[in-house]
mmCIF file with all atom_site columns, all heavy atoms in Angstrom:
data_model
loop_
_atom_site.group_PDB
_atom_site.id
_atom_site.type_symbol
_atom_site.label_atom_id
_atom_site.label_alt_id
_atom_site.label_comp_id
_atom_site.label_asym_id
_atom_site.label_entity_id
_atom_site.label_seq_id
_atom_site.pdbx_PDB_ins_code
_atom_site.Cartn_x
_atom_site.Cartn_y
_atom_site.Cartn_z
_atom_site.occupancy
_atom_site.B_iso_or_equiv
_atom_site.pdbx_formal_charge
_atom_site.auth_seq_id
_atom_site.auth_comp_id
_atom_site.auth_asym_id
_atom_site.auth_atom_id
_atom_site.pdbx_PDB_model_num
ATOM 1   N N   . PHE A 1 76 ? 9.879   5.958   0.143   1.00 0.00 ? 212 PHE A N   1
ATOM 2   C CA  . PHE A 1 76 ? 9.965   4.629   -0.290  1.00 0.00 ? 212 PHE A CA  1
ATOM 3   C C   . PHE A 1 76 ? 11.218  4.439   -1.132  1.00 0.00 ? 212 PHE A C   1
ATOM 4   O O   . PHE A 1 76 ? 11.994  3.576   -1.009  1.00 0.00 ? 212 PHE A O   1
ATOM 5   C CB  . PHE A 1 76 ? 8.667   4.219   -1.013  1.00 0.00 ? 212 PHE A CB  1
ATOM 6   C CG  . PHE A 1 76 ? 8.740   2.755   -1.531  1.00 0.00 ? 212 PHE A CG  1
ATOM 7   C CD1 . PHE A 1 76 ? 8.270   1.812   -0.774  1.00 0.00 ? 212 PHE A CD1 1
ATOM 8   C CD2 . PHE A 1 76 ? 9.155   2.532   -2.892  1.00 0.00 ? 212 PHE A CD2 1
ATOM 9   C CE1 . PHE A 1 76 ? 8.260   0.490   -1.223  1.00 0.00 ? 212 PHE A CE1 1
ATOM 10  C CE2 . PHE A 1 76 ? 9.188   1.180   -3.290  1.00 0.00 ? 212 PHE A CE2 1
ATOM 11  C CZ  . PHE A 1 76 ? 8.733   0.182   -2.558  1.00 0.00 ? 212 PHE A CZ  1
ATOM 12  N N   . MET A 1 77 ? 11.437  5.391   -2.121  1.00 0.00 ? 213 MET A N   1
ATOM 13  C CA  . MET A 1 77 ? 12.589  5.320   -3.000  1.00 0.00 ? 213 MET A CA  1
ATOM 14  C C   . MET A 1 77 ? 13.843  5.495   -2.290  1.00 0.00 ? 213 MET A C   1
ATOM 15  O O   . MET A 1 77 ? 14.881  4.906   -2.745  1.00 0.00 ? 213 MET A O   1
ATOM 16  C CB  . MET A 1 77 ? 12.362  6.354   -4.152  1.00 0.00 ? 213 MET A CB  1
ATOM 17  C CG  . MET A 1 77 ? 11.318  6.041   -5.111  1.00 0.00 ? 213 MET A CG  1
ATOM 18  S SD  . MET A 1 77 ? 11.395  4.384   -5.849  1.00 0.00 ? 213 MET A SD  1
ATOM 19  C CE  . MET A 1 77 ? 12.995  4.586   -6.777  1.00 0.00 ? 213 MET A CE  1
ATOM 20  N N   . LYS A 1 78 ? 13.945  6.185   -1.230  1.00 0.00 ? 214 LYS A N   1
ATOM 21  C CA  . LYS A 1 78 ? 15.150  6.294   -0.397  1.00 0.00 ? 214 LYS A CA  1
ATOM 22  C C   . LYS A 1 78 ? 15.482  5.036   0.193   1.00 0.00 ? 214 LYS A C   1
ATOM 23  O O   . LYS A 1 78 ? 16.685  4.622   0.302   1.00 0.00 ? 214 LYS A O   1
ATOM 24  C CB  . LYS A 1 78 ? 14.975  7.386   0.705   1.00 0.00 ? 214 LYS A CB  1
ATOM 25  C CG  . LYS A 1 78 ? 15.076  8.729   0.150   1.00 0.00 ? 214 LYS A CG  1
ATOM 26  C CD  . LYS A 1 78 ? 14.899  9.783   1.330   1.00 0.00 ? 214 LYS A CD  1
ATOM 27  C CE  . LYS A 1 78 ? 14.755  11.190  0.847   1.00 0.00 ? 214 LYS A CE  1
ATOM 28  N NZ  . LYS A 1 78 ? 14.504  12.099  1.973   1.00 0.00 ? 214 LYS A NZ  1
ATOM 29  N N   . HIS A 1 79 ? 14.492  4.279   0.648   1.00 0.00 ? 215 HIS A N   1
ATOM 30  C CA  . HIS A 1 79 ? 14.702  2.977   1.291   1.00 0.00 ? 215 HIS A CA  1
ATOM 31  C C   . HIS A 1 79 ? 14.917  1.924   0.328   1.00 0.00 ? 215 HIS A C   1
ATOM 32  O O   . HIS A 1 79 ? 15.756  0.891   0.520   1.00 0.00 ? 215 HIS A O   1
ATOM 33  C CB  . HIS A 1 79 ? 13.554  2.593   2.239   1.00 0.00 ? 215 HIS A CB  1
ATOM 34  C CG  . HIS A 1 79 ? 13.491  3.375   3.407   1.00 0.00 ? 215 HIS A CG  1
ATOM 35  N ND1 . HIS A 1 79 ? 13.005  4.595   3.546   1.00 0.00 ? 215 HIS A ND1 1
ATOM 36  C CD2 . HIS A 1 79 ? 14.028  2.986   4.701   1.00 0.00 ? 215 HIS A CD2 1
ATOM 37  C CE1 . HIS A 1 79 ? 13.155  5.030   4.832   1.00 0.00 ? 215 HIS A CE1 1
ATOM 38  N NE2 . HIS A 1 79 ? 13.731  4.087   5.536   1.00 0.00 ? 215 HIS A NE2 1
ATOM 39  N N   . PHE A 1 80 ? 14.320  2.031   -0.917  1.00 0.00 ? 216 PHE A N   1
ATOM 40  C CA  . PHE A 1 80 ? 14.413  0.867   -1.977  1.00 0.00 ? 216 PHE A CA  1
ATOM 41  C C   . PHE A 1 80 ? 14.587  1.609   -3.292  1.00 0.00 ? 216 PHE A C   1
ATOM 42  O O   . PHE A 1 80 ? 13.667  1.601   -4.152  1.00 0.00 ? 216 PHE A O   1
ATOM 43  C CB  . PHE A 1 80 ? 13.124  0.048   -1.887  1.00 0.00 ? 216 PHE A CB  1
ATOM 44  C CG  . PHE A 1 80 ? 12.899  -0.588  -0.558  1.00 0.00 ? 216 PHE A CG  1
ATOM 45  C CD1 . PHE A 1 80 ? 12.060  -0.059  0.388   1.00 0.00 ? 216 PHE A CD1 1
ATOM 46  C CD2 . PHE A 1 80 ? 13.638  -1.676  -0.234  1.00 0.00 ? 216 PHE A CD2 1
ATOM 47  C CE1 . PHE A 1 80 ? 11.871  -0.627  1.642   1.00 0.00 ? 216 PHE A CE1 1
ATOM 48  C CE2 . PHE A 1 80 ? 13.472  -2.357  1.025   1.00 0.00 ? 216 PHE A CE2 1
ATOM 49  C CZ  . PHE A 1 80 ? 12.564  -1.721  1.948   1.00 0.00 ? 216 PHE A CZ  1
ATOM 50  N N   . PRO A 1 81 ? 15.780  2.091   -3.537  1.00 0.00 ? 217 PRO A N   1
ATOM 51  C CA  . PRO A 1 81 ? 16.081  2.733   -4.784  1.00 0.00 ? 217 PRO A CA  1
ATOM 52  C C   . PRO A 1 81 ? 16.097  1.788   -5.974  1.00 0.00 ? 217 PRO A C   1
ATOM 53  O O   . PRO A 1 81 ? 15.902  2.171   -7.120  1.00 0.00 ? 217 PRO A O   1
ATOM 54  C CB  . PRO A 1 81 ? 17.434  3.400   -4.644  1.00 0.00 ? 217 PRO A CB  1
ATOM 55  C CG  . PRO A 1 81 ? 18.013  2.595   -3.562  1.00 0.00 ? 217 PRO A CG  1
ATOM 56  C CD  . PRO A 1 81 ? 16.957  2.125   -2.573  1.00 0.00 ? 217 PRO A CD  1
ATOM 57  N N   . SER A 1 82 ? 16.259  0.469   -5.637  1.00 0.00 ? 218 SER A N   1
ATOM 58  C CA  . SER A 1 82 ? 16.172  -0.573  -6.578  1.00 0.00 ? 218 SER A CA  1
ATOM 59  C C   . SER A 1 82 ? 15.719  -1.824  -5.988  1.00 0.00 ? 218 SER A C   1
ATOM 60  O O   . SER A 1 82 ? 15.739  -1.968  -4.732  1.00 0.00 ? 218 SER A O   1
ATOM 61  C CB  . SER A 1 82 ? 17.533  -0.807  -7.346  1.00 0.00 ? 218 SER A CB  1
ATOM 62  O OG  . SER A 1 82 ? 18.527  -1.263  -6.348  1.00 0.00 ? 218 SER A OG  1
ATOM 63  N N   . GLY A 1 83 ? 15.234  -2.795  -6.833  1.00 0.00 ? 219 GLY A N   1
ATOM 64  C CA  . GLY A 1 83 ? 14.882  -4.065  -6.183  1.00 0.00 ? 219 GLY A CA  1
ATOM 65  C C   . GLY A 1 83 ? 13.507  -4.136  -5.827  1.00 0.00 ? 219 GLY A C   1
ATOM 66  O O   . GLY A 1 83 ? 13.087  -5.173  -5.181  1.00 0.00 ? 219 GLY A O   1
ATOM 67  N N   . ALA A 1 84 ? 12.623  -3.114  -5.968  1.00 0.00 ? 220 ALA A N   1
ATOM 68  C CA  . ALA A 1 84 ? 11.255  -3.094  -5.552  1.00 0.00 ? 220 ALA A CA  1
ATOM 69  C C   . ALA A 1 84 ? 10.475  -2.310  -6.490  1.00 0.00 ? 220 ALA A C   1
ATOM 70  O O   . ALA A 1 84 ? 10.640  -1.128  -6.784  1.00 0.00 ? 220 ALA A O   1
ATOM 71  C CB  . ALA A 1 84 ? 11.073  -2.450  -4.126  1.00 0.00 ? 220 ALA A CB  1
ATOM 72  N N   . VAL A 1 85 ? 9.504   -2.973  -7.200  1.00 0.00 ? 221 VAL A N   1
ATOM 73  C CA  . VAL A 1 85 ? 8.745   -2.293  -8.253  1.00 0.00 ? 221 VAL A CA  1
ATOM 74  C C   . VAL A 1 85 ? 7.224   -2.337  -7.925  1.00 0.00 ? 221 VAL A C   1
ATOM 75  O O   . VAL A 1 85 ? 6.612   -3.329  -7.903  1.00 0.00 ? 221 VAL A O   1
ATOM 76  C CB  . VAL A 1 85 ? 8.917   -3.049  -9.635  1.00 0.00 ? 221 VAL A CB  1
ATOM 77  C CG1 . VAL A 1 85 ? 8.132   -2.442  -10.748 1.00 0.00 ? 221 VAL A CG1 1
ATOM 78  C CG2 . VAL A 1 85 ? 10.441  -3.143  -10.005 1.00 0.00 ? 221 VAL A CG2 1
ATOM 79  N N   . PRO A 1 86 ? 6.671   -1.067  -7.627  1.00 0.00 ? 222 PRO A N   1
ATOM 80  C CA  . PRO A 1 86 ? 5.336   -1.026  -7.287  1.00 0.00 ? 222 PRO A CA  1
ATOM 81  C C   . PRO A 1 86 ? 4.394   -0.735  -8.454  1.00 0.00 ? 222 PRO A C   1
ATOM 82  O O   . PRO A 1 86 ? 4.827   -0.119  -9.474  1.00 0.00 ? 222 PRO A O   1
ATOM 83  C CB  . PRO A 1 86 ? 5.209   0.199   -6.340  1.00 0.00 ? 222 PRO A CB  1
ATOM 84  C CG  . PRO A 1 86 ? 6.417   1.066   -6.769  1.00 0.00 ? 222 PRO A CG  1
ATOM 85  C CD  . PRO A 1 86 ? 7.437   0.127   -7.338  1.00 0.00 ? 222 PRO A CD  1
ATOM 86  N N   . SER A 1 87 ? 3.202   -1.233  -8.350  1.00 0.00 ? 223 SER A N   1
ATOM 87  C CA  . SER A 1 87 ? 2.125   -0.811  -9.231  1.00 0.00 ? 223 SER A CA  1
ATOM 88  C C   . SER A 1 87 ? 0.891   -0.512  -8.480  1.00 0.00 ? 223 SER A C   1
ATOM 89  O O   . SER A 1 87 ? 0.678   -1.088  -7.343  1.00 0.00 ? 223 SER A O   1
ATOM 90  C CB  . SER A 1 87 ? 1.846   -1.958  -10.264 1.00 0.00 ? 223 SER A CB  1
ATOM 91  O OG  . SER A 1 87 ? 1.363   -3.125  -9.636  1.00 0.00 ? 223 SER A OG  1
ATOM 92  N N   . ARG A 1 88 ? 0.013   0.415   -8.939  1.00 0.00 ? 224 ARG A N   1
ATOM 93  C CA  . ARG A 1 88 ? -1.041  0.851   -8.133  1.00 0.00 ? 224 ARG A CA  1
ATOM 94  C C   . ARG A 1 88 ? -2.395  0.748   -8.920  1.00 0.00 ? 224 ARG A C   1
ATOM 95  O O   . ARG A 1 88 ? -2.330  1.044   -10.099 1.00 0.00 ? 224 ARG A O   1
ATOM 96  C CB  . ARG A 1 88 ? -0.798  2.306   -7.743  1.00 0.00 ? 224 ARG A CB  1
ATOM 97  C CG  . ARG A 1 88 ? 0.437   2.542   -6.826  1.00 0.00 ? 224 ARG A CG  1
ATOM 98  C CD  . ARG A 1 88 ? 0.819   3.943   -6.645  1.00 0.00 ? 224 ARG A CD  1
ATOM 99  N NE  . ARG A 1 88 ? 1.995   4.123   -5.923  1.00 0.00 ? 224 ARG A NE  1
ATOM 100 C CZ  . ARG A 1 88 ? 3.233   4.056   -6.420  1.00 0.00 ? 224 ARG A CZ  1
ATOM 101 N NH1 . ARG A 1 88 ? 3.454   3.799   -7.721  1.00 0.00 ? 224 ARG A NH1 1
ATOM 102 N NH2 . ARG A 1 88 ? 4.260   4.181   -5.594  1.00 0.00 ? 224 ARG A NH2 1
ATOM 103 N N   . ASN A 1 89 ? -3.404  0.450   -8.151  1.00 0.00 ? 225 ASN A N   1
ATOM 104 C CA  . ASN A 1 89 ? -4.773  0.419   -8.744  1.00 0.00 ? 225 ASN A CA  1
ATOM 105 C C   . ASN A 1 89 ? -5.798  0.886   -7.652  1.00 0.00 ? 225 ASN A C   1
ATOM 106 O O   . ASN A 1 89 ? -5.604  0.694   -6.480  1.00 0.00 ? 225 ASN A O   1
ATOM 107 C CB  . ASN A 1 89 ? -5.193  -1.024  -9.132  1.00 0.00 ? 225 ASN A CB  1
ATOM 108 C CG  . ASN A 1 89 ? -4.437  -1.530  -10.350 1.00 0.00 ? 225 ASN A CG  1
ATOM 109 O OD1 . ASN A 1 89 ? -4.741  -1.090  -11.434 1.00 0.00 ? 225 ASN A OD1 1
ATOM 110 N ND2 . ASN A 1 89 ? -3.500  -2.367  -10.105 1.00 0.00 ? 225 ASN A ND2 1
ATOM 111 N N   . VAL A 1 90 ? -6.921  1.515   -8.212  1.00 0.00 ? 226 VAL A N   1
ATOM 112 C CA  . VAL A 1 90 ? -7.992  1.831   -7.357  1.00 0.00 ? 226 VAL A CA  1
ATOM 113 C C   . VAL A 1 90 ? -9.160  0.936   -7.768  1.00 0.00 ? 226 VAL A C   1
ATOM 114 O O   . VAL A 1 90 ? -9.512  0.870   -8.827  1.00 0.00 ? 226 VAL A O   1
ATOM 115 C CB  . VAL A 1 90 ? -8.409  3.367   -7.534  1.00 0.00 ? 226 VAL A CB  1
ATOM 116 C CG1 . VAL A 1 90 ? -9.608  3.613   -6.580  1.00 0.00 ? 226 VAL A CG1 1
ATOM 117 C CG2 . VAL A 1 90 ? -7.212  4.179   -7.125  1.00 0.00 ? 226 VAL A CG2 1
ATOM 118 N N   . TRP A 1 91 ? -9.705  0.196   -6.737  1.00 0.00 ? 227 TRP A N   1
ATOM 119 C CA  . TRP A 1 91 ? -10.856 -0.691  -6.981  1.00 0.00 ? 227 TRP A CA  1
ATOM 120 C C   . TRP A 1 91 ? -12.055 -0.114  -6.324  1.00 0.00 ? 227 TRP A C   1
ATOM 121 O O   . TRP A 1 91 ? -12.064 0.198   -5.093  1.00 0.00 ? 227 TRP A O   1
ATOM 122 C CB  . TRP A 1 91 ? -10.496 -2.038  -6.346  1.00 0.00 ? 227 TRP A CB  1
ATOM 123 C CG  . TRP A 1 91 ? -9.339  -2.702  -7.001  1.00 0.00 ? 227 TRP A CG  1
ATOM 124 C CD1 . TRP A 1 91 ? -8.020  -2.559  -6.729  1.00 0.00 ? 227 TRP A CD1 1
ATOM 125 C CD2 . TRP A 1 91 ? -9.443  -3.685  -8.102  1.00 0.00 ? 227 TRP A CD2 1
ATOM 126 N NE1 . TRP A 1 91 ? -7.270  -3.326  -7.551  1.00 0.00 ? 227 TRP A NE1 1
ATOM 127 C CE2 . TRP A 1 91 ? -8.069  -4.001  -8.405  1.00 0.00 ? 227 TRP A CE2 1
ATOM 128 C CE3 . TRP A 1 91 ? -10.411 -4.203  -8.853  1.00 0.00 ? 227 TRP A CE3 1
ATOM 129 C CZ2 . TRP A 1 91 ? -7.726  -4.942  -9.442  1.00 0.00 ? 227 TRP A CZ2 1
ATOM 130 C CZ3 . TRP A 1 91 ? -10.101 -5.091  -9.809  1.00 0.00 ? 227 TRP A CZ3 1
ATOM 131 C CH2 . TRP A 1 91 ? -8.836  -5.451  -10.146 1.00 0.00 ? 227 TRP A CH2 1
ATOM 132 N N   . ALA A 1 92 ? -13.109 0.007   -7.057  1.00 0.00 ? 228 ALA A N   1
ATOM 133 C CA  . ALA A 1 92 ? -14.418 0.345   -6.584  1.00 0.00 ? 228 ALA A CA  1
ATOM 134 C C   . ALA A 1 92 ? -15.361 -0.844  -6.525  1.00 0.00 ? 228 ALA A C   1
ATOM 135 O O   . ALA A 1 92 ? -15.402 -1.612  -7.528  1.00 0.00 ? 228 ALA A O   1
ATOM 136 C CB  . ALA A 1 92 ? -15.029 1.433   -7.486  1.00 0.00 ? 228 ALA A CB  1
ATOM 137 N N   . PRO A 1 93 ? -16.037 -1.015  -5.416  1.00 0.00 ? 229 PRO A N   1
ATOM 138 C CA  . PRO A 1 93 ? -16.903 -2.189  -5.325  1.00 0.00 ? 229 PRO A CA  1
ATOM 139 C C   . PRO A 1 93 ? -18.090 -2.174  -6.268  1.00 0.00 ? 229 PRO A C   1
ATOM 140 O O   . PRO A 1 93 ? -18.673 -1.163  -6.504  1.00 0.00 ? 229 PRO A O   1
ATOM 141 C CB  . PRO A 1 93 ? -17.369 -2.247  -3.863  1.00 0.00 ? 229 PRO A CB  1
ATOM 142 C CG  . PRO A 1 93 ? -17.278 -0.786  -3.426  1.00 0.00 ? 229 PRO A CG  1
ATOM 143 C CD  . PRO A 1 93 ? -16.181 -0.184  -4.225  1.00 0.00 ? 229 PRO A CD  1
ATOM 144 N N   . VAL A 1 94 ? -18.329 -3.328  -6.903  1.00 0.00 ? 230 VAL A N   1
ATOM 145 C CA  . VAL A 1 94 ? -19.496 -3.480  -7.699  1.00 0.00 ? 230 VAL A CA  1
ATOM 146 C C   . VAL A 1 94 ? -20.578 -4.218  -6.957  1.00 0.00 ? 230 VAL A C   1
ATOM 147 O O   . VAL A 1 94 ? -21.743 -3.802  -7.007  1.00 0.00 ? 230 VAL A O   1
ATOM 148 C CB  . VAL A 1 94 ? -19.065 -4.294  -9.056  1.00 0.00 ? 230 VAL A CB  1
ATOM 149 C CG1 . VAL A 1 94 ? -20.318 -4.536  -9.900  1.00 0.00 ? 230 VAL A CG1 1
ATOM 150 C CG2 . VAL A 1 94 ? -18.018 -3.497  -9.838  1.00 0.00 ? 230 VAL A CG2 1
ATOM 151 N N   . GLN A 1 95 ? -20.189 -5.270  -6.334  1.00 0.00 ? 231 GLN A N   1
ATOM 152 C CA  . GLN A 1 95 ? -21.155 -6.043  -5.510  1.00 0.00 ? 231 GLN A CA  1
ATOM 153 C C   . GLN A 1 95 ? -20.363 -6.780  -4.444  1.00 0.00 ? 231 GLN A C   1
ATOM 154 O O   . GLN A 1 95 ? -19.176 -7.168  -4.718  1.00 0.00 ? 231 GLN A O   1
ATOM 155 C CB  . GLN A 1 95 ? -22.006 -7.027  -6.342  1.00 0.00 ? 231 GLN A CB  1
ATOM 156 C CG  . GLN A 1 95 ? -23.014 -7.722  -5.549  1.00 0.00 ? 231 GLN A CG  1
ATOM 157 C CD  . GLN A 1 95 ? -23.980 -8.562  -6.430  1.00 0.00 ? 231 GLN A CD  1
ATOM 158 O OE1 . GLN A 1 95 ? -23.872 -8.554  -7.684  1.00 0.00 ? 231 GLN A OE1 1
ATOM 159 N NE2 . GLN A 1 95 ? -24.762 -9.424  -5.808  1.00 0.00 ? 231 GLN A NE2 1
ATOM 160 N N   . ALA A 1 96 ? -20.992 -7.067  -3.256  1.00 0.00 ? 232 ALA A N   1
ATOM 161 C CA  . ALA A 1 96 ? -20.317 -7.927  -2.281  1.00 0.00 ? 232 ALA A CA  1
ATOM 162 C C   . ALA A 1 96 ? -21.328 -8.884  -1.760  1.00 0.00 ? 232 ALA A C   1
ATOM 163 O O   . ALA A 1 96 ? -22.607 -8.690  -1.816  1.00 0.00 ? 232 ALA A O   1
ATOM 164 C CB  . ALA A 1 96 ? -19.847 -7.039  -1.126  1.00 0.00 ? 232 ALA A CB  1
ATOM 165 N N   . TRP A 1 97 ? -20.801 -10.056 -1.286  1.00 0.00 ? 233 TRP A N   1
ATOM 166 C CA  . TRP A 1 97 ? -21.627 -11.065 -0.722  1.00 0.00 ? 233 TRP A CA  1
ATOM 167 C C   . TRP A 1 97 ? -21.277 -11.278 0.781   1.00 0.00 ? 233 TRP A C   1
ATOM 168 O O   . TRP A 1 97 ? -20.073 -11.111 1.091   1.00 0.00 ? 233 TRP A O   1
ATOM 169 C CB  . TRP A 1 97 ? -21.429 -12.428 -1.438  1.00 0.00 ? 233 TRP A CB  1
ATOM 170 C CG  . TRP A 1 97 ? -22.103 -12.406 -2.799  1.00 0.00 ? 233 TRP A CG  1
ATOM 171 C CD1 . TRP A 1 97 ? -23.306 -12.807 -3.213  1.00 0.00 ? 233 TRP A CD1 1
ATOM 172 C CD2 . TRP A 1 97 ? -21.512 -11.726 -4.096  1.00 0.00 ? 233 TRP A CD2 1
ATOM 173 N NE1 . TRP A 1 97 ? -23.580 -12.653 -4.521  1.00 0.00 ? 233 TRP A NE1 1
ATOM 174 C CE2 . TRP A 1 97 ? -22.503 -12.035 -5.018  1.00 0.00 ? 233 TRP A CE2 1
ATOM 175 C CE3 . TRP A 1 97 ? -20.331 -11.217 -4.294  1.00 0.00 ? 233 TRP A CE3 1
ATOM 176 C CZ2 . TRP A 1 97 ? -22.236 -11.568 -6.355  1.00 0.00 ? 233 TRP A CZ2 1
ATOM 177 C CZ3 . TRP A 1 97 ? -20.183 -10.786 -5.618  1.00 0.00 ? 233 TRP A CZ3 1
ATOM 178 C CH2 . TRP A 1 97 ? -21.045 -10.945 -6.649  1.00 0.00 ? 233 TRP A CH2 1
ATOM 179 N N   . PRO A 1 98 ? -22.186 -11.641 1.628   1.00 0.00 ? 234 PRO A N   1
ATOM 180 C CA  . PRO A 1 98 ? -21.889 -11.769 3.027   1.00 0.00 ? 234 PRO A CA  1
ATOM 181 C C   . PRO A 1 98 ? -20.956 -13.003 3.201   1.00 0.00 ? 234 PRO A C   1
ATOM 182 O O   . PRO A 1 98 ? -21.000 -13.965 2.494   1.00 0.00 ? 234 PRO A O   1
ATOM 183 C CB  . PRO A 1 98 ? -23.185 -11.993 3.683   1.00 0.00 ? 234 PRO A CB  1
ATOM 184 C CG  . PRO A 1 98 ? -24.149 -12.409 2.576   1.00 0.00 ? 234 PRO A CG  1
ATOM 185 C CD  . PRO A 1 98 ? -23.668 -11.825 1.348   1.00 0.00 ? 234 PRO A CD  1
ATOM 186 N N   . GLU A 1 99 ? -20.121 -12.914 4.250   1.00 0.00 ? 235 GLU A N   1
ATOM 187 C CA  . GLU A 1 99 ? -19.258 -14.010 4.562   1.00 0.00 ? 235 GLU A CA  1
ATOM 188 C C   . GLU A 1 99 ? -20.035 -15.043 5.334   1.00 0.00 ? 235 GLU A C   1
ATOM 189 O O   . GLU A 1 99 ? -20.942 -14.830 5.993   1.00 0.00 ? 235 GLU A O   1
ATOM 190 C CB  . GLU A 1 99 ? -18.079 -13.512 5.377   1.00 0.00 ? 235 GLU A CB  1
ATOM 191 C CG  . GLU A 1 99 ? -17.155 -12.614 4.642   1.00 0.00 ? 235 GLU A CG  1
ATOM 192 C CD  . GLU A 1 99 ? -15.942 -12.128 5.449   1.00 0.00 ? 235 GLU A CD  1
ATOM 193 O OE1 . GLU A 1 99 ? -15.534 -12.899 6.365   1.00 0.00 ? 235 GLU A OE1 1
ATOM 194 O OE2 . GLU A 1 99 ? -15.494 -11.057 5.124   1.00 0.00 ? 235 GLU A OE2 1
#
Side-chain angles (χ1 to χ4, degrees):
F212 181 89
M213 290 305 296
K214 285 180 186 175
H215 284 84
F216 302 97
S218 64
V221 180
S223 64
R224 298 167 183 87
N225 288 287
V226 177
W227 295 86
V230 175
Q231 183 174 353
W233 289 263
E235 296 182 24

